[in-house]
Amino acid sequence: MTEHPFAITLDVGSSLANRTGAWRTERPVYVNRMPPCNDACPAGENVQAWLYEAEDGGYERAWRQLVRDNPFPAIMGRVCYHPCQDACNRGQLDEAVGINAVERFVGDEAIRRGWRFDPPPAPTGKRVLVVGAGPCGLSAAYHLAVRGHAVTVRDAGEAAGGMMRYGIPAYRLPRDVLDAEIGRIVDLGVTVEQNRRVDDPVAALAEFDAVFLAVGAQLSKRAYVPAGESARILDALGVLHDVAEGERPLLGRRVVVYGGGNTALDVARSAKRLGATEPLVVYRRTRAQMPAHPEETDEAIEEGVRMRWLSTIAYAGSGRVVVERMRLDDNGFPQPTGEFEELPADAVVLALGQEVDRSIVDSAPDIEVDHGTVRVDAHLMTGRPGVFAGGDMVPSRRTVTDAVGHGKRAAREIDAWLGGGTPTPAARPPLATFERLNTWYYSDAPATLRPRLDLARRASTFDEVVRGLDESTALFEARRCLSCGNCFGCDNCFGVCPDNAVRKLDEGHRAGSYAIDLDYCKGCGICVAECPAGAIEMVPEEES
Amino acid sequence: MPVNRVKFYQTGSYAVGNRLLDPRSRAVQSDPARTNAITTGHRACQGCGEALGARYVLDAAMRATGGKLVTVNATGCLEVFSTPFPESSWRVAWLHSLFGNAPAVATGVAAALRAQGREDIRVIGQGGDGGTVDIGFGCLSGMFERDDDVLFVCYDNQAYMNTGVQRSGATPPAARTATTDAVGPAPGNAFGQGKDAPRIAMAHGIPYVATATVADPRDLEYKVERAMSFRGARYLHVLVPCPLGWGSAARDTVRLARLATQCGLFPVYEAERGDVVAATPIRAAVPVTEYLRPQRRFAHLFRPELRTDVIGRIQAIADANIARYGLLEAGHD
């Protein structure tokens, strides 16, 4: 008391003594929400996470993050129908992030620079046979190998790749890219044996601890098309296979393709490249009902492929076909109208879908085939314990990406089964919806870059003559990512707190390096409202 | 746009910083070593715009002056919530005298420093809209007229919030305060000519006048730094939403400041020697209702019936601002 001036009773103090956190009824909490791209990816890629690494030019980090889920980024960047971009929140702001184009860039960088997978862990001593070296089988082999299992892949074909080699034309997927990404899996220690058809998977259980069937759906569905003796009728897979082998199947100038899936369009587009002047796709329903990806339909039409919707082939003769016009009934099914038209046709290619070749499971009565696909349980296991199946063999959307996702899932299931358990799937966080973003903060793309990007994006899925993104555009494209539901290190929370109650944990400015000082946070929620990515939420304080 | 906008980097210069940006291109507020001029533990309400604005301004001024800064504060919320005896939240040289004399005290500090040959030490006077546009206005005008070497900053929350939300000369038309209750059929401040302090400051022909909000810290920091590059009288008018007085959610403080600029009711510009030299264009134009509706002080415009007549007059004010400052003319990045 004596030290204080007259009428002063207290020492000078700082407001730090005033713990304003006691005022709070709600607290901000940093969260990670599920970005819509990740949510939509059939291969379960953490798209937001690898874009985050690519944003500062860390392409190798991006690639390593990406291949945790999918060993084929360069292939994906060419053949994936990128449902991630359809789901991208940026599409509601200006235009979806060109994820597929960046993926291709990262994948190509990996090939160019010779990046290799991390060496697998110590062997588990378990041996797994994978039947089929298509996207599903190779994906499973990769994911099993990185878990330390010894994997042998047996494939009936001349070279590994399955439909990626024999079904997808080279103008969509150059073979050197395919070879490079398969070679990296072989380098991991996976044994791949070609020309080794497996007829009895159950017998293989004597040699292996588990068997994964991924031979795909190889048998072209046949439809009865009344045909004259000299009609030239081919099946789509055979045509694509021949093209892949470097042969030039005799299709003639006027090619009619029957079917409405991606395979039909691949055949029509290949025919165009083989010299057909006017390939025609005949499909019995409407464009809206076509199973083919809209992008592929657009590209086919751009290339000069003609479409004839609501039509069936009633008769195929020498140099001509007769098509019947259809109409949709009230249930949306096509019904004949009795109106016929004759069209010139040098060849008719049937692309009516594929079925599983059931001969592979003929020797195993407990493995059931139902409606053209193998029956599996929730863990992708067939009726025979230890024998799993996935990809096009089981009910699926039948894209390369779905097959890769199946392979990853199968590897997880087989790994768990080998260890005597079932896998515990990671909890899926709530979706990072557009409404949760504060889009004010995102910059608009400068006009100068837009045309270049548009060009590159259009080109990236089409023709190898046109390059993908170069480094600067790939970097720009990656930085268009809104990082939905996940911190990306913008410092906004640190800046907008009226109480300085947000701490910055490091100088490196990595995402997520902030913490709330609950001694002083009053719970106003400005950090939540002003987080661009919606990566903070308010939660009620518990009553004490 | 006067403030140098950063391209690309996802958020460009709209967010405070970004891990991808060079530290020199980030806001002062992004720097963990910022002064934190008004530190943790102050007693401002949840979501106080004034506390935020004062920190933005003084942290930027501390960087611009290398820490050689004296701050003179008028009476008001900012003074009361930061210095309940014996605590202080200030981490800058700070002094307080009376409600109405902050500009004069700041003038005196500047004169004293000049007498000591310490003109390297700069002076900021600051206060709320009450202490600036009403009670301290005579002192402020004198400071301008004498061109004293002071930057005066008004944190405008549009009423006397500290004493219970009484109307000030900066209260906008139709806003309800404790002293603008219904005398006729409806509550709310009368439509008048208002007291447009930045334009009155410009009329003095002083070196620098600018407006800013807490919704754009990079722009605010730029203007403080710019102001510090001049000698003589300068004026900075910062819109700082007040959850208590405006009847808005605490989390909406920054959002409301942003909406005020985007609807045109609060034009953001800077002027030198009496002439406007730059205005921040509107980037995402909204009607005034977007700004008015989240505030309870304007609730009577929406309930029990939609007062399109009153809203129309407010929109006309916004439209006049947009025309006067050309807010929709220039593009943005």
Side-chain angles (χ1 to χ4, degrees):
Chain A
M1 281 294 286
T2 52
E3 292 165 28
H4 292 118
F6 173 73
I8 301 292
T9 54
L10 296 169
D11 291 319
V12 173
S14 162
S15 63
L16 292 173
N18 189 23
R19 301 291 174 103
T20 51
W23 304 8
R24 197 177 55 240
T25 57
E26 289 180 300
R27 70 169 63 179
V29 174
Y30 291 95
V31 294
N32 294 96
R33 290 201 171 90
M34 172 71 82
C37 47
N38 298 13
D39 187 55
C41 180
E45 287 182 21
N46 192 343
V47 177
Q48 179 271 328
W50 65 253
L51 282 176
Y52 173 86
E53 301 295 355
E55 280 158 23
D56 64 355
Y59 303 119
E60 183 167 355
R61 272 182 280 118
W63 181 77
R64 294 203 179 278
Q65 169 65 46
L66 202 168
V67 300
R68 284 162 67 168
D69 297 299
N70 188 333
F72 300 124
I75 295 171
M76 288 298 125
R78 291 169 168 85
V79 306
C80 182
Y81 293 115
H82 45 74
C84 50
Q85 292 180 208
D86 297 336
C88 176
N89 277 335
R90 182 134 204 160
Q92 298 179 53
L93 202 59
D94 40 34
E95 200 181 334
V97 176
I99 298 168
N100 191 249
V102 181
E103 184 169 26
R104 171 172 160 179
F105 175 80
V106 169
D108 286 354
E109 276 293 285
I111 294 172
R112 196 166 71 81
R113 298 183 182 275
W115 296 333
R116 301 164 65 93
F117 298 133
D118 294 330
T124 60
K126 302 286 186 185
R127 293 170 51 79
V128 181
L129 174 66
V130 173
V131 185
C136 184
L138 290 172
S139 164
Y142 164 77
H143 285 286
L144 286 163
V146 298
R147 286 174 163 86
H149 304 304
V151 185
T152 301
V153 181
R154 287 181 183 154
D155 185 77
E158 284 288 330
M163 283 295 169
M164 297 190 290
R165 187 179 300 276
Y166 297 111
I168 296 175
Y171 63 83
R172 283 178 57 200
L173 178 56
R175 299 312 183 222
D176 55 341
V177 172
L178 182 63
D179 292 339
E181 296 210 316
I182 293 174
R184 215 155 33 205
I185 294 176
V186 174
D187 291 346
L188 208 51
V190 171
T191 307
V192 181
E193 300 171 0
Q194 294 305 137
N195 295 310
R196 288 226 31 196
R197 189 183 164 86
V198 174
D199 290 315
D200 189 350
V202 175
L205 280 175
E207 196 186 342
F208 295 94
D209 298 295
V211 174
F212 179 54
L213 302 177
V215 300
Q218 307 269 11
L219 291 182
S220 291
K221 278 186 195 164
R222 302 303 296 231
Y224 176 67
V225 176
E229 275 178 24
S230 53
R232 185 161 170 73
I233 298 182
L234 303 157
D235 90 83
L237 287 189
V239 170
L240 290 173
H241 195 280
D242 287 351
V243 173
E245 300 265 83
E247 294 171 26
R248 296 180 70 87
L250 288 171
L251 295 170
R253 277 198 317 117
R254 296 162 303 183
V255 179
V256 174
V257 182
Y258 194 22
N262 289 321
T263 306
L265 296 178
D266 281 345
V267 170
R269 295 173 70 185
S270 295
K272 182 82 185 172
R273 283 167 172 74
L274 289 170
T277 47
E278 35 194 50
L280 174 71
V281 171
V282 175
Y283 178 57
R284 63 200 184 100
R285 300 198 201 193
T286 63
R287 170 162 190 172
Q289 291 160 308
M290 272 179 87
H293 194 271
E295 198 167 284
E296 185 143 10
T297 310
D298 289 341
E299 286 177 3
I301 292 171
E302 275 169 30
E303 286 174 21
V305 172
R306 289 178 306 134
M307 301 286 172
R308 197 180 171 100
W309 288 290
L310 280 174
S311 299
T312 57
I313 296 182
Y315 175 78
S318 177
R320 66 193 182 94
V321 291
V322 177
V323 296
E324 180 175 8
R325 187 178 296 280
M326 307 296 278
R327 62 170 182 83
L328 291 185
D329 65 17
D330 294 343
N331 297 320
F333 288 106
Q335 300 295 346
T337 60
E339 296 170 36
F340 295 92
E341 190 180 341
E342 189 172 296
L343 303 170
D346 296 323
V348 175
V349 183
L350 302 180
L352 300 164
Q354 291 104 258
E355 285 181 332
V356 173
D357 182 353
R358 60 186 301 157
S359 66
I360 189 174
V361 293
D362 274 349
S363 58
D366 37 9
I367 301 178
E368 293 175 61
V369 178
D370 187 21
H371 286 89
T373 54
V374 171
R375 185 176 288 178
V376 288
D377 66 11
H379 302 289
L380 293 178
M381 192 151 75
T382 65
R384 177 75 185 213
V387 178
F388 296 76
D392 288 2
M393 289 186 78
V394 305
S396 77
R397 272 179 297 189
R398 295 196 170 174
T399 70
V400 175
T401 320
D402 281 279
V404 168
H406 265 233
K408 173 183 154 190
R409 210 181 116 205
R412 198 166 57 215
E413 298 288 354
I414 292 168
D415 178 64
W417 188 80
L418 291 172
T422 53
T424 43
R428 286 173 85 83
L431 196 63
T433 55
F434 185 77
E435 295 68 37
R436 290 190 180 276
L437 305 174
N438 189 336
T439 54
W440 166 265
Y441 288 102
Y442 295 106
S443 305
D444 308 314
T448 48
L449 262 164
R450 271 190 183 141
R452 281 175 69 198
L453 284 169
D454 286 347
L455 200 67
R457 281 187 210 143
R458 253 204 308 280
S460 63
T461 54
F462 187 69
D463 196 331
E464 295 303 313
V465 176
V466 185
R467 304 302 305 168
L469 300 183
D470 64 25
E471 219 253 68
S472 69
T473 46
L475 193 66
F476 175 74
E477 193 58 39
R479 286 173 176 180
R480 292 183 67 244
C481 175
L482 306 180
S483 192
C484 306
N486 292 275
C487 174
F488 59 99
C490 75
D491 292 342
N492 231 29
C493 52
F494 180 69
V496 299
C497 177
D499 295 285
N500 309 312
V502 177
R503 304 277 168 258
K504 212 163 167 174
L505 298 181
D506 67 14
E507 295 296 308
H509 312 310
R510 290 284 295 176
S513 56
Y514 309 96
I516 308 290
D517 187 341
L518 293 172
D519 283 344
Y520 297 102
C521 167
K522 292 170 184 164
C524 68
I526 293 180
C527 55
V528 175
E530 301 304 320
C531 174
I536 318 176
E537 70 179 9
M538 295 302 279
V539 299
E541 292 288 344
E542 286 178 19
E543 287 182 42
S544 54
Chain B
M1 191 57 231
V3 55
N4 195 17
R5 289 291 181 189
V6 178
K7 306 276 186 188
F8 291 22
Y9 301 106
Q10 299 170 318
T11 51
S13 43
Y14 298 110
V16 168
N18 194 311
R19 69 182 175 105
L20 300 171
L21 280 180
D22 181 273
R24 281 168 305 178
S25 308
R26 297 180 203 172
V28 174
Q29 287 305 312
S30 169
D31 184 358
R34 70 190 186 203
T35 304
N36 272 340
I38 171 164
T39 197
T40 309
H42 62 72
R43 298 176 188 223
C45 307
Q46 278 186 330
C48 176
E50 190 170 34
L52 192 58
R55 192 184 79 222
Y56 285 171
V57 167
L58 293 178
D59 283 5
M62 285 293 277
R63 180 183 278 191
T65 60
K68 294 179 178 175
L69 185 72
V70 175
T71 309
V72 176
N73 214 121
T75 304
C77 272
L78 183 60
E79 169 261 326
V80 168
F81 72 62
S82 62
T83 52
F85 183 78
E87 292 170 9
S88 171
S89 303
W90 297 102
R91 310 217 306 174
V92 291
W94 183 90
L95 66 105
H96 165 242
S97 173
L98 298 173
F99 210 154
N101 68 356
V105 174
T107 292
V109 172
L113 289 167
R114 191 173 68 243
Q116 295 174 47
R118 293 305 308 269
E119 285 167 301
D120 54 324
I121 300 174
R122 309 302 300 274
V123 181
I124 281 185
Q126 60 179 10
D129 51 293
T132 305
V133 313
D134 290 349
I135 301 173
F137 206 61
C139 293
L140 184 67
S141 180
M143 188 201 102
F144 289 161
E145 170 267 318
R146 294 185 302 271
D147 200 21
D148 294 324
D149 188 21
V150 174
L151 167 63
F152 199 89
V153 185
C154 171
Y155 304 105
D156 177 11
N157 57 20
Q158 305 188 331
Y160 290 85
M161 301 312 184
N162 178 45
T163 48
V165 198
Q166 291 85 8
R167 176 198 177 282
S168 82
T171 301
R176 183 175 196 156
T177 67
T179 48
T180 52
D181 265 342
V183 177
N189 194 26
F191 279 81
Q193 296 306 305
K195 197 187 270 192
D196 190 339
R199 291 182 68 217
I200 299 171
M202 282 165 61
H204 289 78
I206 57 176
Y208 189 73
V209 173
T211 66
T213 77
V214 288
D216 193 348
R218 316 271 288 221
D219 175 68
L220 177 49
E221 289 177 1
Y222 156 78
K223 282 167 177 167
V224 172
E225 196 184 328
R226 178 89 181 126
M228 283 304 175
S229 72
F230 291 92
R231 289 281 173 176
R234 292 141 289 148
Y235 181 68
L236 182 58
H237 192 96
V238 187
L239 182 70
V240 291
C242 170
L244 176 80
W246 295 16
S248 55
R251 66 175 177 278
D252 280 343
T253 295
V254 172
R255 176 174 161 243
L256 283 174
R258 187 162 56 232
L259 288 170
T261 63
Q262 298 305 298
C263 74
L265 277 179
F266 190 87
V268 177
Y269 60 91
E270 58 182 337
E272 293 179 18
R273 305 267 170 216
D275 293 318
V276 173
V277 293
T280 303
I282 287 172
R283 181 168 168 240
V286 290
V288 291
T289 46
E290 291 282 304
Y291 167 67
L292 302 174
R293 202 185 293 271
Q295 304 179 48
R296 226 163 36 245
R297 62 177 174 158
F298 294 113
H300 56 281
L301 304 184
F302 300 93
R303 287 189 310 272
E305 60 190 56
L306 189 66
R307 292 296 304 274
T308 47
D309 54 336
V310 181
I311 292 169
R313 293 182 74 182
I314 298 173
Q315 184 66 55
I317 296 171
D319 293 343
N321 283 335
I322 290 168
R324 171 176 283 148
Y325 299 100
L327 301 180
L328 285 176
E329 284 163 18
H332 56 79
D333 58 345

